[in-house]
Amino acid sequence: MNLTDRVAVITGAAGGIGSALARRFAAEGAAALVLADLDATATGAVAESVGPIARAVAVDVTDEDQVRELVADTERRYGRIDLFCANAGVATGGGVEATDADWDRSWRVNVLSHVYAARAVLPAMLARGEGYLLHTCSAAGVLTAVGDAPYTATKHAAVGFAEWLAITYRDQGVRVSALCPQGVDTPMLADGLAAGHLGARVIAASGAVLTPDQVADAAIAGLAEERFLILPHPEVAAYALRRAQDPDGWQAGLRKLVRRLRGGAGQSEPPPPPPPPAASP
Ligand SMILES: NC(=O)c1ccc[n+]([C@@H]2O[C@H](COP(=O)([O-])OP(=O)(O)OC[C@H]3O[C@@H](n4cnc5c(N)ncnc54)[C@H](O)[C@@H]3O)[C@@H](O)[C@H]2O)c1
């Protein structure tokens, strides 16, 4: 898919990767962009900077009625949705001790919102025999996020759900891509690095920290090829291969990196849980 004359919806568009996708889609000649986020003020500013083809709407993607209305309103205004980008996401920085509320929020934002979006957009896409779902998952969904158990579990679920959609609907014209970046320079990672959170430091030590614009470039390339797995960091493919071929060796390598970053190369037991972290994408 190329973006020329396309109608796209982007959730989590108030900043970071979502706003970079919006700018890049506009540059590619999109016809209309609907930018949805909890943060209406920031999303309005993004829409203004993108130009008249962009429209900002306040939407909580964990509320199915709001997602249904986002889709229905976009279809009423523009006649169709060519591309729905389920990009909103949250990190908690928690381990097993993360509260049920954090587990629940991670599940609802990182997974259930993708289900709500698919339920809402699929009928019209299947009727037209065409449509595209771009789900921002994470390298954590094909690897792990050290220091963030809810993020790891829900991003794995997000990749699994995207793959299920791709297998189920591809032959009816609906294409699906899972965008799985590793470190990206947005508040989600930057706040964690500033707080010295282990998970964020592991990410920074595992490869380049890309700009949101670089991730948007990778998304455009992946959409053009209609590739399921879009990996803006090529090293993630190598890590995933290693993990599949030798899970124990891959885990040992990661534990070694964690020990090194904790400053205790000989340590075999984890230290007490870190202080409440900001994030670990
Ligand atoms: N930053 C990274 O290193 C990184 C790496 C891999 C994947 N990701 C994923 O990329 C996506 C975008 O994250 P980002 O890095 O741009 O961070 P970000 O925090 O700037 O963007 C996330 C956006 O989601 C919005 N959001 C959260 N809950 C919402 C809800 N209930 N309804 C509507 N919007 C909601 C937030 O307001 C925010 O604008 C997320 O899914 C994230 O998990 C980020």
Side-chain angles (χ1 to χ4, degrees):
M1 170 178 272
N2 71 61
L3 268 295
T4 313
D5 293 330
R6 299 296 191 178
V7 176
V9 176
I10 307 170
T11 71
I17 295 169
S19 61
L21 290 174
R23 285 192 299 273
R24 189 59 209 269
F25 290 177
E28 294 288 315
L33 299 174
V34 178
L35 311 183
D37 202 289
L38 278 180
D39 185 341
T41 310
T43 316
V46 172
E48 207 157 299
S49 73
V50 167
I53 62 157
R55 201 171 152 269
V57 287
V59 174
D60 179 349
V61 295
T62 67
D63 181 329
E64 184 164 20
D65 286 343
Q66 292 188 34
V67 174
R68 215 184 280 126
E69 179 51 27
L70 166 68
V71 167
D73 183 60
T74 305
E75 289 173 347
R76 269 193 305 270
R77 284 170 190 271
Y78 307 109
R80 67 190 191 281
I81 294 173
D82 296 303
L83 170 65
F84 192 102
C85 304
N87 171 74
V90 290
T92 70
V96 291
E97 78 292 347
T99 62
D100 284 4
D102 274 347
W103 278 97
D104 188 55
R105 193 169 62 102
S106 302
W107 168 252
R108 296 179 68 79
V109 179
N110 295 345
V111 186
L112 210 46
S113 75
H114 295 191
V115 179
Y116 294 159
R119 275 185 195 150
V121 295
L122 277 171
M125 286 183 177
L126 291 171
R128 287 198 344 262
E130 197 200 5
Y132 209 121
L133 305 174
L134 175 69
H135 289 185
T136 305
C137 302
S138 171
V142 290
L143 301 169
T144 193
V146 169
D148 201 326
Y151 194 79
T152 300
T154 56
K155 289 295 186 178
H156 271 260
V159 173
F161 178 60
E163 188 177 65
W164 184 91
L165 288 171
I167 291 166
T168 305
Y169 294 109
R170 180 66 182 86
D171 289 346
Q172 295 165 75
V174 177
R175 292 139 294 164
V176 183
S177 293
L179 176 61
C180 293
Q182 192 166 240
V184 188
D185 188 11
T186 72
M188 193 180 271
L189 177 62
D191 293 353
L193 281 174
H197 184 243
L198 179 66
R201 290 165 60 218
V202 169
I203 291 165
S206 300
V209 174
L210 301 184
T211 63
D213 288 339
Q214 288 174 306
V215 175
D217 288 346
I220 286 289
L223 289 169
E225 291 177 14
E226 303 190 349
R227 212 173 334 115
F228 173 69
L229 200 54
I230 302 179
L231 300 177
H233 300 74
E235 59 269 32
V236 170
Y239 299 155
L241 188 63
R242 172 98 205 277
R243 176 177 174 270
Q245 287 175 332
D246 178 12
D248 298 295
W250 175 74
Q251 288 177 22
L254 197 48
R255 290 200 307 274
K256 192 171 165 192
L257 173 63
V258 168
R259 284 198 299 275
R260 181 164 66 74
L261 291 175
R262 278 186 173 133
Q267 248 175 271
S268 59
E269 290 303 315
S280 69

